[in-house]
Amino acid sequence: MQRLKFNHVASRVPGPFGLLIGGGLFIFLAVLIAIYDQLAQENAALQQQWQRRQTLLAPQPSISQQPVVDQALAAEWLAAQQALNTPWLALLHDLEQAQQVPVYWLQLAPDAKRQHLRMTVLAQRRQQGWAWLDQLKKQPSLTNVKLTASESTEVNGLRMTTLQLEAAWTF
């Protein structure tokens, strides 16, 4: 009786050419890892040398030297500090509290030195702008609220009123 063979697929064992390519790639990978490790060590040594040189070249602060102050720079610094000390959040909160009617802000230009505020808004109707102006006058933090200009304009096909206002704040 003849034996039956159910597996007609050729053997999966790689030939000598495949083993040679695989072994060569493995050796190449080992060499690359060794080179990378050597470069990483050299890089760490160079960074340490660079940091040592930077600390040697950095000027040492002398306690006996008086700092030279530029008057213009000092004035700018003081103005910036005053602008930072301005209570912007409280001012903006009061402006939002006054907005009972739908107006659209176009411009808000505060001046921290003079505690002055210029605003440009759009209202759908002139009466809404006047009502908003009255609300601003009722705010305790705003003083000297006045309308400087009012103009009727067309925005996207709608008739709108542009209002320009000025006010001072007290904080």
Side-chain angles (χ1 to χ4, degrees):
M1 215 157 144
Q2 200 176 19
R3 208 168 196 193
L4 292 176
K5 216 178 190 183
F6 289 107
N7 188 1
H8 296 287
V9 178
S11 173
R12 299 270 182 188
V13 177
F17 184 70
L19 287 175
L20 185 63
I21 290 178
L25 287 176
F26 183 73
I27 292 171
F28 181 68
L29 179 65
V31 169
L32 282 180
I33 289 174
I35 291 172
Y36 175 77
D37 187 39
Q38 181 183 0
L39 288 175
Q41 290 174 358
E42 290 176 6
N43 187 22
L46 286 174
Q47 284 183 349
Q48 288 176 353
Q49 284 179 357
W50 181 73
Q51 286 182 353
R52 273 186 264 138
R53 286 184 181 168
Q54 289 296 323
T55 56
L56 291 176
L57 294 176
Q60 301 297 327
S62 175
I63 297 173
S64 64
Q65 292 179 347
Q66 293 293 328
V68 178
V69 178
D70 183 15
Q71 296 299 326
L73 181 64
E76 285 181 30
W77 183 78
L78 184 61
Q81 187 177 15
Q82 287 175 347
L84 289 175
N85 289 335
T86 303
W88 296 116
L89 292 178
L91 177 64
L92 293 174
H93 180 266
D94 286 351
L95 289 174
E96 287 177 357
Q97 290 297 321
Q99 190 169 348
Q100 303 292 329
V101 294
V103 294
Y104 304 100
W105 292 87
L106 293 178
Q107 180 186 19
L108 179 65
D111 184 4
K113 284 183 183 177
R114 299 181 337 175
Q115 292 186 339
H116 187 262
L117 184 67
R118 286 189 339 222
M119 299 167 271
T120 305
V121 295
L122 267 177
Q124 290 179 346
R125 292 187 303 257
R126 188 176 305 268
Q127 291 81 14
Q128 290 175 334
W130 292 110
W132 183 67
L133 180 65
D134 291 338
Q135 289 293 327
L136 281 178
K137 288 180 179 179
K138 292 178 185 176
Q139 292 298 316
S141 61
L142 296 176
T143 60
N144 198 19
V145 178
K146 59 184 174 183
L147 178 68
T148 56
S150 175
E151 180 182 8
S152 181
T153 59
E154 187 173 322
V155 178
N156 294 333
L158 296 174
R159 207 74 173 139
M160 305 282 279
T161 301
T162 304
L163 302 168
Q164 293 180 357
L165 304 140
E166 289 184 2
W169 71 79
T170 56
F171 286 108

